[in-house]
Amino acid sequence: MLTNKAEVIKRLQQDILHLQGFKSKNSEEHLLGLGPVEAAFPNGIFATGVIHEFVSEGSEETAATFGFVSGVLSKLMTDARPCIWVCPSRNLFPLALKKFNIETTRIIFIETATDQESLWVMEEALKCDGIAVVVGEIPRISFSQSRRLQLAVEKSKVTGFLLRSFKAQHVLASVAKWHISPLPGLCLDGMPGVGFPQWKVELVKVRNGKPGSWKVAWMLEGFEVMGMDGELLRQGDLLNPLQKPPLKASHLQSKII
């Protein structure tokens, strides 16, 4: 009887996670290559079809957030569906997206004049199930307004990235809250230059998950997650740490050459 009760509770928990946008362990969704960052989500899979909230303060953090979000977009836009980017600021340089393996022709940029206009455009775009991701730069948004966005994605299963000001600290109806900070570029051993983009990625809040902080770099083919001691942590390393020790940054030089 106890076993049956435990199985019923486990099944109910999985059903609730599925309704909230989290995929099952057997999901065929592609992993983003974020290793321990993805492992922080329920079932170890990055949640799609939900609202992710990114907070930043100042131009440096905003640029870092643009870079990290672009890397995630390149992993989510694997089919023919486009992305809509609601951009009142014109701070994003579209050609820089090619560094993250994104063709700019696959993103529809919509310029807006006010937060209210940005909110309306983002909500209507999130209702279109033919769109892969909707990114909205809305510095100020209330809980009730964010709840409308969450209700829209629960029907369409479109993923929404909400970029807003760090100063607005009130709670929103998002599944995950991120804070991306810039770090010095990752230069490989003996190689001059500005290096690969690198960020401090903080998962401040994740529903039913485990928040944390990591160093994440964007290399030639995708993300590489760094431990606090500079060791590389990959998905395979996490799954089998005894047989597959973490690689050092110096090992990447041979990989690139």
Side-chain angles (χ1 to χ4, degrees):
M1 180 64 71
L2 290 178
T3 302
N4 293 335
K5 185 177 180 180
E7 291 177 352
V8 170
I9 293 175
K10 183 178 180 180
R11 192 181 308 119
L12 288 174
Q13 289 175 334
Q14 291 298 323
D15 291 343
I16 292 173
L17 290 175
H18 179 71
L19 291 174
Q20 292 177 339
F22 296 104
K23 304 296 186 297
S24 65
K25 291 182 179 179
N26 298 324
S27 173
E28 296 181 354
E29 291 283 335
H30 296 292
L31 295 175
L32 303 184
L34 282 170
V37 185
E38 290 178 281
F41 285 84
N43 296 329
I45 298 178
F46 182 86
T48 56
V50 299
I51 295 294
H52 291 258
E53 171 190 2
F54 292 83
V55 295
S56 60
E57 183 176 10
S59 56
E60 293 84 2
E61 289 191 357
T62 300
T65 302
F66 284 171
F68 180 77
V69 167
S70 299
V72 176
L73 283 181
S74 71
K75 299 298 181 181
L76 295 180
M77 296 172 61
T78 56
D79 52 25
R81 294 181 300 168
C83 165
I84 287 183
W85 193 307
V86 185
C87 50
S89 64
R90 285 193 179 186
N91 287 330
L92 177 68
F93 183 55
L95 294 181
L97 295 173
K98 290 189 175 181
K99 186 176 183 64
F100 299 94
N101 305 322
I102 299 177
E103 291 297 331
T104 55
T105 53
R106 296 194 58 199
I107 297 184
I108 302 171
F109 295 96
I110 300 179
E111 185 175 347
T112 52
T114 64
D115 287 350
Q116 291 299 322
E117 189 176 8
S118 300
L119 180 65
W120 183 84
V121 173
M122 184 173 185
E123 182 178 354
E124 293 303 312
L126 287 172
K127 296 177 181 177
C128 302
D129 56 8
I131 296 173
V133 184
V134 178
V135 182
E137 300 175 37
I138 308 178
R140 292 169 293 278
I141 180 173
S142 67
F143 175 83
S144 59
Q145 291 170 331
S146 67
R147 180 59 182 157
R148 284 165 47 188
L149 300 181
Q150 183 62 34
L151 290 174
V153 300
E154 288 177 0
K155 293 181 179 178
S156 65
K157 304 303 180 185
V158 176
T159 305
F161 290 159
L162 181 61
L163 280 53
R164 71 185 189 107
S165 172
F166 187 80
K167 296 179 180 178
Q169 285 291 347
H170 53 276
V171 177
L172 298 185
S174 59
V175 166
K177 180 179 180 180
W178 304 75
H179 182 208
I180 313 298
S181 306
L183 292 176
L186 178 63
C187 295
L188 304 184
D189 298 342
M191 297 183 68
V194 296
F196 295 97
Q198 186 176 218
W199 315 281
K200 179 183 179 182
V201 175
E202 296 177 78
L203 190 52
V204 181
K205 177 195 78 175
V206 55
R207 189 178 300 168
N208 297 313
K210 298 178 180 179
S213 178
W214 305 268
K215 292 180 181 178
V216 177
W218 178 264
M219 309 299 287
L220 295 179
E221 299 174 354
F223 289 114
E224 294 285 359
V225 182
M226 315 287 290
M228 298 306 294
D229 56 358
E231 296 286 331
L232 288 176
L233 299 174
R234 298 179 180 179
Q235 189 72 12
D237 299 328
L238 292 172
L239 296 177
N240 196 355
L242 295 179
Q243 298 180 6
K244 209 171 183 181
L247 299 175
K248 292 182 177 180
S250 57
H251 293 165
L252 283 174
Q253 186 171 0
S254 58
K255 173 184 174 183
I256 294 174
I257 294 175

